Amino acid sequence: MSGEKRILDLCVDAGETLLANGAEIYRVQQTMELIAKSYGADCFHAYVLTNGLVASMEENGSLQSAAVRNTPRVEMNLGRISAVNALSREIVQGSVPLEQAFERLRMIRAMKGMSARMMVLASMLSASTFCYLFGGSFTDAFAALVPGCAAGLFARLLARSKTPVNKLVSNMLCAAVVAITSFAAAQMWAFTGTACNLDHVIIGGIIPLLPGVALTNGIRDVANSDYLSGMIRAIDALLIAAGIALGVGVVLKGLALIPGVML
């Protein structure tokens, strides 16, 4: 295999790793260009979108090699992004041979994210914390642990499903689970004679579902003149928010229609 093809493969693998884990468009393109330049590529071109990238390498005005990668985002792991950035800096400094860079990148792509248990725990703590920050009492914050746990467990269940679930549908289902478990937690407190604000509990429970990173990256992409990718990410964030709103709204409307139920 020619040296140019190996350089192109490394650039594309690094860009694919960044893009699949939620990196901004400018970061992906800049990293690929820096790696190619560091290994002596004369003319390297890359075009990156939110779910795919195209790269080519030329020499003496003629195309030597090209690559196209479809890159659906399966999960978001900021640790992998940080590791690829660190690797690219070492490559720019000239301290990483090409084949060693492939091995380092392979290890980065194999990095494990947080365990399912830690993800559920993080969902619980974030739901409780944000419930309190948005005006809930200590009772509300304690009750928000229930929908936070339920949302984390249900999201992990959907992620392990053999049948892929549409993102809009999955967020609707997760939000519906949050609304149901929030109502159940509030009712449990009511039976003990302790007041619990259902609205605050639901707000805390849906916070882990909100697309904060997608919306932030969309704004950053637009600020960096990557308008198409920025708009795609903004629309994606809006669809997730709409799914959450629909899931909570349908459950609350259904509960309101049950005789004797007070929301």
Side-chain angles (χ1 to χ4, degrees), residues 34-250:
L34 287 173
I35 292 174
K37 182 178 180 181
S38 299
Y39 285 117
D42 294 328
C43 190
F44 175 83
H45 301 284
Y47 181 67
V48 183
L49 289 172
T50 53
N51 59 348
L53 54 88
V54 180
S56 66
M57 190 174 294
E58 299 178 5
E59 187 175 357
N60 298 324
S62 61
L63 181 66
Q64 296 297 314
S65 54
V68 180
R69 296 281 179 90
N70 177 37
T71 313
R73 187 179 305 165
V74 179
E75 63 177 337
M76 184 173 294
N77 190 326
L78 300 183
R80 290 177 187 159
I81 295 176
S82 177
V84 173
N85 287 338
L87 175 61
S88 68
R89 294 188 191 99
E90 293 182 37
I91 291 173
V92 171
Q93 293 171 1
S95 59
V96 184
L98 182 60
E99 294 305 319
Q100 183 181 336
F102 271 104
E103 180 61 22
R104 290 270 302 275
L105 188 58
R106 185 192 65 78
M107 294 173 61
I108 291 171
R109 298 176 78 159
M111 285 174 57
K112 299 292 185 181
M114 293 177 64
S115 65
R117 183 177 299 177
M118 288 299 297
M119 291 291 287
V120 173
L121 180 60
S123 178
M124 293 173 62
L125 293 178
S126 62
S128 179
T129 302
F130 279 103
C131 175
Y132 183 75
L133 290 176
F134 282 102
S137 63
F138 283 107
T139 301
D140 299 336
F142 189 76
L145 291 171
V146 177
C149 179
L153 290 172
F154 192 71
R156 302 282 78 73
L157 181 64
L158 289 178
R160 293 181 179 180
S161 174
K162 295 182 179 179
T163 304
V165 182
N166 180 275
K167 184 182 293 186
L168 179 63
V169 175
S170 65
N171 280 282
M172 286 180 61
L173 293 175
C174 286
V177 168
V178 167
I180 293 170
T181 53
S182 296
F183 177 76
Q187 290 299 307
M188 289 173 62
W189 277 113
F191 288 141
T192 65
T194 305
C196 182
N197 191 305
L198 178 60
D199 292 344
H200 289 146
V201 177
I202 292 177
I203 289 172
I206 65 175
I207 287 295
L209 305 176
L210 295 180
V213 175
L215 185 59
T216 301
N217 284 350
I219 294 172
R220 294 190 67 177
D221 286 342
V222 171
N224 284 289
S225 300
D226 294 313
Y227 301 116
L228 180 57
S229 296
M231 292 302 296
I232 290 173
R233 282 181 167 164
I235 292 171
D236 183 51
L238 289 175
L239 285 175
I240 294 174
I244 294 171
L246 283 171
V248 173
V250 168

